[in-house]
Amino acid sequence: MKAKSGKNKVQKVCISLREEGVIETSGIIKKRIHNYVRMKTYYKRMRLNKKEIIRQQNEKFDYMPKFSIVIPLYKTRIDFFLELIDSLVGQTYENLEICLADGSGEYSELSKVCENLSKRDSRIKYRLLDSNQGISGNTNAAIEMAGGDFIVLVDHDDLLEKNALYEFVKLLNDDEEIDALYSDEDKLNSNNGKFFLPHFKPDFNIEYLR
């Protein structure tokens, strides 16, 4: 969720003008504008409307696996964290649990927030760790809390689209032999709420996976 500043963009344009020239830089700018417009159209088409949200919430699948969303925490910004939780509890597919492993320390504000959330929603599990074990150690501690059919790896300042888990369940109902799923992702500017760096991943690619 890191924001790109306008100053950095101006600096990049100046460097490009100096190193590549006016014609090449103009071409780069036109291409980026075209991609920006194309992405805005894509997002507008893909985002759910209220009618579709309700439809997905009421849909019943033959196979309804439980997703354990594991999140390593360490001195996480409260506003980012609450936005993340909202995006998880607001999923159109509701058979999930949220496993939080926190290495921030007993007297942190985050600890109090997590404890309150776990009391309000039984799907939220919270564990205060004796010490910070880093992202891998804290993630493993969260996995130890998981009791679902699938583990979902989420960082402490991520956001999920409302239909993220729903789309996974659709795929799993087409083929229950699936062992792992992955998704595209994007960067979000925390200042203006705009997406700016989409990462569209390929279909299965063994070299990419390795």
Side-chain angles (χ1 to χ4, degrees), residues 139-171:
T139 298
N140 287 335
I143 290 174
E144 291 174 1
M145 303 161 62
D149 302 291
F150 284 86
I151 299 292
V152 182
L153 301 174
V154 173
D155 203 0
H156 62 175
D157 58 355
D158 286 344
L159 296 173
L160 263 64
E161 286 289 331
K162 286 181 177 294
N163 59 327
L165 299 183
Y166 171 88
E167 296 298 333
F168 284 166
V169 173
K170 279 178 59 180
L171 290 172

Side-chain angles (χ1 to χ4, degrees), residues 167-181:
E167 296 298 333
F168 284 166
V169 173
K170 279 178 59 180
L171 290 172
L172 289 167
N173 274 266
D174 290 337
D175 182 2
E176 290 189 32
E177 297 301 315
I178 292 175
D179 293 317
L181 304 104

Side-chain angles (χ1 to χ4, degrees), residues 5 34 44 62 68 97 103 115 130 152 158 168 175 183 189:
S5 69
H34 171 75
K44 187 175 181 179
D62 293 331
S68 295
E97 64 179 6
E115 288 176 354
D130 294 333
V152 182
D158 286 344
F168 284 166
D175 182 2
S183 68
N189 187 315

Side-chain angles (χ1 to χ4, degrees), residues 57-208:
Q57 288 172 334
N58 292 325
E59 186 169 356
K60 302 299 180 183
F61 294 94
D62 293 331
Y63 176 43
M64 299 187 68
K66 184 175 185 178
F67 292 100
S68 295
I69 304 170
V70 299
I71 306 172
L73 301 176
Y74 179 66
K75 297 185 178 179
T76 307
R77 275 183 52 169
I78 301 299
D79 54 344
F80 283 1
F81 174 68
L82 291 178
E83 287 180 5
L84 164 60
I85 294 298
D86 286 343
S87 79
L88 299 180
V89 299
Q91 289 290 302
T92 57
Y93 181 79
E94 298 180 345
N95 190 16
L96 60 90
E97 64 179 6
I98 302 168
C99 304
L100 307 170
D102 182 15
S104 304
E106 183 177 0
Y107 302 104
S108 70
E109 181 183 0
L110 180 63
S111 174
K112 298 175 182 177
V113 171
C114 290
E115 288 176 354
N116 288 332
L117 287 171
S118 64
K119 291 176 182 177
R120 286 174 10 205
D121 192 328
S122 61
R123 297 177 299 172
I124 299 177
K125 300 179 179 180
Y126 175 63
R127 177 182 171 189
L128 180 65
L129 303 178
D130 294 333
S131 62
N132 180 42
Q133 301 170 26
I135 188 169
S136 59
N138 293 1
T139 298
N140 287 335
I143 290 174
E144 291 174 1
M145 303 161 62
D149 302 291
F150 284 86
I151 299 292
V152 182
L153 301 174
V154 173
D155 203 0
H156 62 175
D157 58 355
D158 286 344
L159 296 173
L160 263 64
E161 286 289 331
K162 286 181 177 294
N163 59 327
L165 299 183
Y166 171 88
E167 296 298 333
F168 284 166
V169 173
K170 279 178 59 180
L171 290 172
L172 289 167
N173 274 266
D174 290 337
D175 182 2
E176 290 189 32
E177 297 301 315
I178 292 175
D179 293 317
L181 304 104
Y182 61 95
S183 68
D184 299 322
E185 59 190 67
D186 206 340
K187 293 291 190 297
L188 180 67
N189 187 315
S190 58
N191 293 323
N192 58 25
K194 293 182 179 179
F195 297 101
F196 65 85
L197 193 62
H199 181 193
F200 295 110
K201 299 171 186 174
D203 289 338
F204 181 76
N205 182 311
I206 189 62
E207 288 80 12
Y208 189 79

Side-chain angles (χ1 to χ4, degrees), residues 5-17:
S5 69
K7 183 179 179 181
N8 288 338
K9 292 180 180 178
V10 172
Q11 289 173 341
K12 289 181 178 179
V13 170
C14 291
I15 292 172
S16 181
L17 284 170

